[in-house]
């Protein structure tokens, strides 16, 4: 799709590895250097990213989507009042927001301070957050998540082993964020008979999300978590009807999609996939075939959207060169197609203009720029994100204190 490889080579002049990482991120993101007001980038308004789009019954006023981002600030696994400000800052009339990964059950936990959607208390705690986004005219989906083996016994009921499609642990010694050390335990391979209960947990969580006021849900089938652990042949070594051939590996994920769509209506359901990624040690020998098979399965259920991570994202935060493209998936999928991973204003406009996607999800740039659509409209400078506070659990710093354009000093 985009051949941005030339921009993405590591900057060898920096001697600090950390600086090197930040530098690469900036280049990927079209950060400080590439986002300066550039006459060549001045298009007639509205630019493609800011053109309206009808996603099913939702009338979006622009195509700049808030990507789902865990912020680890939901103490005791409960959404907190400080998230009201965080999400409402990023809401716009007709803007589409996808909430952070939200656990669907006790066994779904993988990190501290992630919100849940399986208890009455959690549902009630979400309500004022969702309500505030609605007050600003935003459309808000809840991302339903089960971490599977990307967890630790300390997060599991009675200290038991995390569950997965397999009993092989994640071999990687770092978390998905690429910097924090991790020691992953040996998971417990769930039996065939246990699978319907996990499907049911997703179904109930979807119902709860609507009860909390969300407009719909995104099923997290990406980034090496439970659903991805069933999809990918490097991990899924089952011999029952949920393992082996493509059809079998997609069975559990598609059962989840069907159950959730039956529960709340397919027109309120999106799915996130990352067939080309190997985050959390989760890769596939034929990601093109996997992506296409899933998209065709999703078509059967007529779901609202498919949201896919760009193949160039070799780690969650770092792009590289790739021969792969999302275009075959884009062409095959009948609903709204959302892309994510390393997009800037320029490449986002390009992918919309050339038909590669309907919507573009922005992660780190939106995290650091609460008024991102406005900044794109004005083609103004962007705040640079601070990676050290992504997951710092502080209720304000690195969360709701990124300045708006009016407050920014340049
Ligand atoms: C702090 C942080 C937390 C993230 N948490 C999630 C998550 O909860 N669910 C998910 O699907 N992706 C998550 N991601 C990945 C983003 O949605 C996105 O795919 C990634 O940041 C690449 O997009 P970007 O280059 O625009 O940042 C997270 C990313 C960041 C920076």
């Amino acid at each position: 799709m985009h051949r941005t490889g030339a921009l993405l080579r590591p900057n060898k002049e920096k001697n600090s590895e950390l600086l090197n990482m930040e530098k690469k991120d900036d280049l990927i993101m079209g950060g400080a250097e590439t986002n300066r007001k550039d006459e060549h980038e001045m298009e007639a308004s509205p630019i493609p990213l800011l053109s309206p789009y009808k996603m099913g019954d939702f009338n979006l006023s622009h195509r700049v989507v808030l990507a789902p981002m865990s912020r680890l600030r939901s103490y005791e696994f409960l959404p907190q009042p400080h998230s009201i400000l965080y999400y409402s800052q990023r809401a716009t009339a007709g803007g589409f927001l996808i909430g952070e990964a939200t656990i669907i059950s006790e066994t779904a936990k993988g990190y501290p301070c992630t919100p849940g959607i399986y208890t009455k208390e959690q549902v009630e705690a979400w309500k004022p957050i969702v309500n505030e986004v609605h007050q600003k005219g935003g459309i808000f989906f809840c991302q339903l998540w089960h971490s599977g083996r990307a967890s630790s016994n300390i997060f599991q009921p009675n200290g038991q082993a995390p569950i997965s499609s397999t009993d092989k642990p994640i071999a990687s010694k770092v978390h998905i964020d690429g910097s924090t050390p991790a020691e992953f335990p040996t998971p417990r391979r769930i039996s065939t008979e246990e699978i319907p209960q996990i499907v049911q947990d997703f179904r109930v969580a979807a119902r709860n999300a609507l009860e909390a006021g969300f407009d719909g849900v995104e099923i997290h089938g990406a980034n090496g978590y439970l659903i991805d652990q069933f999809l990918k042949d490097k991990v899924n070594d089952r011999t029952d009807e949920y393992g082996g051939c493509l059809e079998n590996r997609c069975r559990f994920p598609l059962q989840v999609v069907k159950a959730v769509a039956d529960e709340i209506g397919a027109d309120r359901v999106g799915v996130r996939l990352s067939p080309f990624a190997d985050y959390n040690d989760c890769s596939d020998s034929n990601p093109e075939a996997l992506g296409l098979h899933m998209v065709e399965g999703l078509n059967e259920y007529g779901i609202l959207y498919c949201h896919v991570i760009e193949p160039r994202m070799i780690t969650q935060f770092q792009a590289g060169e790739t021969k792969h493209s999302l275009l075959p998936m884009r062409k095959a999928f009948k609903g709204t197609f959302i892309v994510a991973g390393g997009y800037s204003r320029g490449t986002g406009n390009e992918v919309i203009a050339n038909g590669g996607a309907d919507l573009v999800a922005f992660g780190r740039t939106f995290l650091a720029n609460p008024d991102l659509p406005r900044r794109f409209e004005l083609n103004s400078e962007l705040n640079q994100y601070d990676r050290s506070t992504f997951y710092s659990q502080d209720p304000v710093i690195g969360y709701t204190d990124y300045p708006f354009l009016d407050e920014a000093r340049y």
Side-chain angles (χ1 to χ4, degrees):
M1 186 172 284
H2 295 295
R3 300 283 172 228
T4 47
L7 274 179
L8 303 173
R9 279 186 205 109
N11 182 341
K12 296 198 175 83
E13 277 146 43
K14 299 276 178 198
N15 51 12
S16 144
E17 205 180 319
L18 187 66
L19 273 177
N20 242 335
M21 285 180 87
E22 292 290 346
K23 186 69 190 166
K24 273 189 287 184
D25 287 348
D26 285 347
L27 290 170
I28 297 161
M29 297 304 306
E33 288 163 35
T34 48
N35 271 313
R36 255 182 218 118
K37 197 161 185 159
D38 176 353
E39 281 178 9
H40 300 292
E41 251 201 306
M42 294 285 279
E43 293 104 314
S45 190
I47 61 172
L49 277 173
L50 298 181
S51 58
Y53 176 76
K54 191 161 163 53
M55 178 173 75
D57 291 337
F58 301 104
N59 290 311
L60 307 187
S61 62
H62 62 80
R63 299 164 189 247
V64 183
V65 177
L66 176 69
M69 281 180 287
S70 299
R71 305 306 316 276
L72 309 196
R73 283 149 166 98
S74 296
Y75 316 131
E76 308 291 334
F77 303 98
L78 261 185
Q80 296 292 312
H82 47 249
S83 299
I84 298 175
L85 182 59
Y86 172 73
Y87 282 110
S88 77
Q89 283 179 333
R90 286 155 185 79
T92 47
F96 182 40
L97 288 76
I98 305 166
E100 64 211 270
T102 299
I103 45 179
I104 56 150
S105 66
E106 280 292 311
T107 62
K109 294 174 182 168
Y111 303 106
C113 300
T114 49
I117 190 83
Y118 56 96
T119 70
K120 181 90 185 120
E121 209 182 351
Q122 290 162 343
V123 171
E124 290 306 313
W126 271 116
K127 284 183 178 173
I129 304 169
V130 180
N131 184 46
E132 200 61 26
V133 170
H134 285 160
Q135 288 301 317
K136 293 187 78 175
I139 293 130
F140 199 10
F141 273 38
C142 181
Q143 191 186 48
L144 303 183
W145 175 53
H146 193 302
S147 63
R149 67 176 186 164
S151 181
S152 162
N153 295 46
I154 57 166
F155 296 125
Q156 296 299 316
N158 307 316
Q160 69 193 30
I163 60 168
S164 182
S165 60
T166 179
D167 55 9
K168 288 178 300 192
I170 297 176
S172 164
K173 300 285 180 213
V174 285
H175 264 299
I176 189 174
D177 67 15
S179 52
T180 349
E183 194 70 56
F184 292 101
T186 301
R188 183 177 67 81
R189 184 201 308 270
I190 47 169
S191 67
T192 315
E193 293 69 36
E194 287 174 280
I195 290 178
Q197 181 58 51
I198 315 285
V199 174
Q200 177 66 6
D201 290 342
F202 272 98
R203 177 200 291 270
V204 172
R207 186 195 309 153
N208 289 346
L210 259 64
E211 160 70 21
F214 283 103
D215 300 290
V217 303
E218 174 174 289
I219 296 166
H220 196 345
N223 298 356
Y225 297 113
L226 184 66
I227 289 181
D228 213 16
Q229 291 159 27
F230 274 83
L231 289 174
K232 305 271 181 72
D233 62 5
K234 181 179 175 189
V235 179
N236 185 336
D237 54 0
R238 303 179 71 87
T239 53
D240 62 3
E241 72 250 40
Y242 292 96
C245 65
L246 207 45
E247 193 184 350
N248 282 358
R249 282 183 280 122
C250 294
R251 190 181 308 280
F252 163 67
L254 290 173
Q255 284 176 347
V256 170
V257 173
K258 180 176 187 312
V260 169
D262 284 349
E263 186 66 33
I264 65 169
D267 51 350
R268 294 186 181 275
V269 179
V271 172
R272 192 172 217 210
L273 299 171
S274 57
F276 297 92
D278 75 346
Y279 315 154
N280 282 321
D281 211 12
C282 204
S283 65
D284 197 81
S285 58
N286 191 346
E288 286 91 353
L290 175 62
L292 277 175
H293 190 89
M294 271 305 281
V295 155
E296 280 152 14
L298 299 179
N299 282 339
E300 297 279 309
Y301 300 117
I303 63 158
L304 183 64
Y305 73 79
C306 181
H307 178 185
V308 193
I309 314 264
E310 285 286 350
R312 64 176 172 229
M313 299 306 285
I314 52 170
T315 72
Q316 185 167 230
F317 301 148
Q318 187 191 332
E321 292 191 51
T322 180
K323 60 180 170 47
H324 299 296
S325 160
L326 296 183
L327 271 182
M329 285 177 77
R330 163 29 161 196
K331 285 186 187 150
F333 186 60
K334 295 186 180 144
T336 294
F337 198 72
I338 310 180
V339 291
Y343 277 98
S344 65
R345 180 183 189 272
T347 56
N349 278 329
E350 210 178 287
V351 75
I352 299 294
N354 70 22
D358 300 305
L359 306 173
V360 182
F362 291 86
R364 290 161 293 175
T365 333
F366 219 150
L367 181 157
N369 294 273
D371 50 356
L372 190 63
R374 176 84 178 131
R375 287 179 191 247
F376 281 167
E377 184 187 352
L378 301 174
N379 198 10
S380 46
E381 299 233 15
L382 298 178
N383 300 325
Q384 296 305 296
Y385 58 81
D386 177 0
R387 200 176 169 129
S388 70
T389 55
F390 280 178
Y391 305 110
S392 71
Q393 300 180 15
D394 190 281
V396 176
I397 299 166
Y399 194 49
T400 50
D401 63 347
Y402 282 104
F404 283 72
L405 205 48
D406 306 343
E407 310 160 32
R409 284 191 298 269
Y410 291 109

